[in-house]
Amino acid sequence: MPGKLTSRKAIAALLGLLLLASAWVQMHYRTRLGWLDDDWEFLLYRTGGGLSHIFEPHNEHISVIPVLVYKLFFALFGLGSTVPIQFFAMLMYLFAAVMLFVWMRK
């Protein structure tokens, strides 16, 4: 049993290190990006406050959550920097990686 516990700790530590390295690489390269094509579509063309702007398909796909996230981040941080939305995207990526690890471990 002690060997298994040590192995679990080592795996958790390795996962943590990989997540930190991934976060650093992502933020290093993501923060050099500006607003891209889909970003502008969410920021410029969905300016109304009605539900039709939220539920309108994007490239024939429902995009309610991304539209709401962009509207929230635009209201909170403006268009001056992409760092807040890039940081949020990085956190969602790391969350998905951890959830995949938890799921695969079982």
Side-chain angles (χ1 to χ4, degrees):
M1 188 72 153
K4 189 172 186 173
L5 186 60
T6 305
S7 174
R8 283 188 145 179
K9 285 183 180 181
I11 290 171
L14 180 60
L15 177 66
L17 286 173
L18 290 172
L19 290 172
L20 284 174
S22 177
W24 183 85
V25 168
Q26 285 186 55
M27 289 309 292
H28 178 72
Y29 288 107
R30 281 179 180 254
T31 54
R32 296 175 183 196
L33 296 174
W35 299 106
L36 302 173
D37 294 336
D38 289 342
D39 302 331
W40 287 116
E41 200 278 326
F42 291 150
L43 293 169
L44 293 178
Y45 302 121
R46 297 185 187 230
T47 57
L51 291 177
S52 64
H53 291 285
I54 293 173
F55 288 105
E56 180 181 331
H58 174 67
N59 292 335
E60 300 177 3
H61 300 281
I62 187 100
S63 301
V64 174
I65 294 173
V67 168
L68 292 175
V69 168
Y70 272 89
K71 285 185 174 287
L72 174 68
F73 275 73
F74 177 64
L76 292 175
F77 304 107
L79 288 175
S81 174
T82 61
V83 172
I85 198 88
Q86 300 294 353
F87 185 74
F88 179 75
M90 184 261 312
L91 288 179
M92 292 296 99
Y93 173 82
L94 295 178
F95 176 74
V98 169
M99 291 297 103
L100 178 65
F101 177 80
V102 169
W103 180 65
M104 293 295 289
R105 196 177 78 199
K106 293 180 182 182

